[in-house]
Structures are given as structure tokens and as C-alpha cells.
């Protein structure tokens, strides 16, 4: 039986957007934001042609049946939805890989703001730099978890008729991954391993899907997706404090 509160989970991203406006958190929002703007510009440029090519290739594989060809607009929408979801999470993966040291510290500052307690006594720039290898390895773990499942869903998405459910499965998977991606920052600050985090989120799966769903939606919206990453970090920290923090660390 699924546990948690889906509607409570929905509110954490909105809380994250409120938190990023706090004076003590702004610096660690602005630095990753500049990185994200540069990254998004590059991805938008290079992925435009790839998107068009993948759609054309997928349509060419369909059987030449009259009724099926008459539904080409539907398959275009479905394939388009899958590709957009892939690009959305792909952007998040790269943005978080680059900005992970800043996001870990942003999660620390956010938790201190919410609880009034220090997470790590050493909050110097030297500490942030020292944590870069560990933060990058944490991102690699998430990528290794994501890739085989993404490939499996991509294969499903290439099978005619079966691909009708592919977009729905992609969206559910992306919502779950968004929760894992961002709650991992406060969890890592508390030395909770990535496998342990998956179990913790599984214990409040409805809350996790509620948090991940609006993050996944926002990640697909140009410009908004530049701001959603730091807001999701702050929202995920609120999630950690209220759903898991006090009783599970």
C-alpha cells in the first residue's frame, strides 16, 4: 500500500520558490542559475536538430497501414512527449552534475533556515571545494540508476501501439527521479546513502510523487526550468525535514 500524502508533496516546490528569495540563500541560487542559463542555451541549440531527426526516424518505422498512418499526428505527439521528457531530465542531470557542490550547500543553508540547527559546522568555501569529488560521485550514482530504466522505457516507446503508454510511464518515472534527484542533497548532507534514500522515499512514495510531479512539469518549461533547480533543492530540503529528517536520520 502506498504511503505518504500526495497533496502535501505538491506543496514543497512552491515552498522552495519562496525559500530561494531569502537573503541568506540568494548567493547559492544565483551562481548555479548563471551556469544553468549557459547550459540551457547550448542544449537548446544542439538538441533542436536531434529532436526533429528522432521524430522522423520513429515515424518511418511504422507499418504502411492506412488507419495507422491516419494517426500520425497522435504518434508525433506521443514521441514528442517522450523526447521532451528525456530532454527535461537530461538538462536536470547535466545542470546538477555541474552545480552539485553549490546545491549541497544550498540544502544545508535551507535546512538551517527551517530548523535553526547547523547541519555541518564547516561552512567555508574550502569545505565546498573539498566536497566536489563526493558530490560528483553522488550525481554519477543517480545517472547509473536512471540510465538502464530510461533505456528500457525508450525501447517500449519505439514499439507501435505499446508506445501509447510510454509517455505516461516516462512521466511517472521522471516524477520519481525528480524526487530522488533533489531529496538526495539534504540526505547526502546527513550521510544517508543513495540506496537508503530510495528506501526512505519508498516509505512515503505518495509524497515523493507529489513533490516530483510539479518539478518534472516545470523542468519541461523553457526559462522556468532555469529557476526550478534551486527551488527544487530548497523544496526537497523542506520535504526532508518534514517527511524524513527528524525521525529517520
Amino acid at each position: 500500500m502506498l504511503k505518504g500524502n500526495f497533496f502535501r508533496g505538491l506543496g514543497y516546490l512552491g515552498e522552495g520558490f519562496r525559500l530561494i528569495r531569502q537573503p541568506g540563500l540568494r548567493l547559492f541560487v544565483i551562481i548555479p542559475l548563471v551556469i544553468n542559463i549557459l547550459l540551457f542555451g547550448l542544449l537548446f541549440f544542439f538538441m533542436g536538430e536531434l529532436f526533429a531527426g528522432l521524430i522522423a526516424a520513429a515515424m518511418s518505422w511504422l507499418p504502411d497501414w492506412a488507419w495507422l498512418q491516419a494517426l500520425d499526428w497522435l504518434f508525433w505527439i506521443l514521441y514528442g512527449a517522450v523526447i521532451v521528457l528525456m530532454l527535461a531530465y537530461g538538462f536536470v542531470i547535466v545542470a546538477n552534475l555541474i552545480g552539485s557542490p553549490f546545491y549541497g550547500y544550498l540544502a544545508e543553508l535551507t535546512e538551517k533556515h527551517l530548523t535553526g540547527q547547523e547541519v555541518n559546522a564547516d561552512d567555508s568555501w574550502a569545505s565546498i571545494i573539498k566536497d566536489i569529488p563526493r558530490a560528483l560521485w553522488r550525481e554519477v550514482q543517480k545517472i547509473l540508476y536512471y540510465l538502464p530504466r530510461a533505456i528500457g522505457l525508450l525501447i517500449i516507446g519505439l514499439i507501435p501501439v505499446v508506445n501509447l503508454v510510454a509517455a505516461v510511464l516516462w512521466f511517472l518515472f521522471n516524477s520519481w527521479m525528480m524526487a530522488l534527484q533533489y531529496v538526495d542533497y539534504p540526505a547526502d548532507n546527513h550521510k544517508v546513502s543513495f540506496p537508503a534514500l530510495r528506501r526512505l522515499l519508498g516509505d512515503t512514495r505518495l509524497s515523493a510523487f507529489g513533490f516530483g510531479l510539479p518539478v518534472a512539469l516545470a523542468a519541461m518549461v523553457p526559462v522556468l526550468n532555469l529557476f526550478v533547480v534551486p527551488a527544487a533543492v530548497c523544496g526537497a530540503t523542506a520535504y526532508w525535514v518534514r517527511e524524513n529528517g527528524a525521525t529517520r536520520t
Side-chain angles (χ1 to χ4, degrees), residues 157-238:
L158 296 176
I159 302 173
V161 182
V162 177
N163 60 10
L164 294 174
V165 300
V168 175
L169 293 176
W170 263 108
F171 191 71
L172 290 173
F173 178 56
N174 267 25
S175 296
W176 171 249
M177 280 305 307
M178 291 298 181
L180 274 178
Q181 176 67 58
Y182 292 109
V183 180
D184 184 57
Y185 291 115
D188 187 33
N189 289 337
H190 286 272
K191 312 303 181 189
V192 175
S193 69
F194 187 61
L197 171 63
R198 298 202 307 269
R199 292 192 295 271
L200 287 174
L201 288 187
D203 289 342
T204 54
R205 196 175 298 271
L206 284 176
S207 298
F209 274 113
F211 170 62
L213 186 147
V215 178
L217 287 173
M220 292 186 291
V221 180
V223 181
L224 178 60
N225 59 6
L226 300 175
F227 297 90
V228 75
V229 175
V233 173
C234 293
T237 305

Side-chain angles (χ1 to χ4, degrees), residues 93-138:
I93 287 176
V94 179
N96 288 337
L97 190 62
I98 296 173
S100 55
F102 297 104
Y103 297 139
Y105 190 55
L106 176 60
E108 281 190 31
L109 293 177
T110 303
E111 186 167 345
K112 180 181 178 182
H113 175 81
L114 292 172
T115 66
Q117 299 177 355
E118 293 280 355
V119 178
N120 186 351
D122 186 2
D123 60 356
S124 65
W125 282 95
S127 175
I128 296 174
I129 294 172
K130 183 181 69 177
D131 280 344
I132 287 177
R134 183 175 59 83
L136 291 177
W137 169 239
R138 194 80 172 199

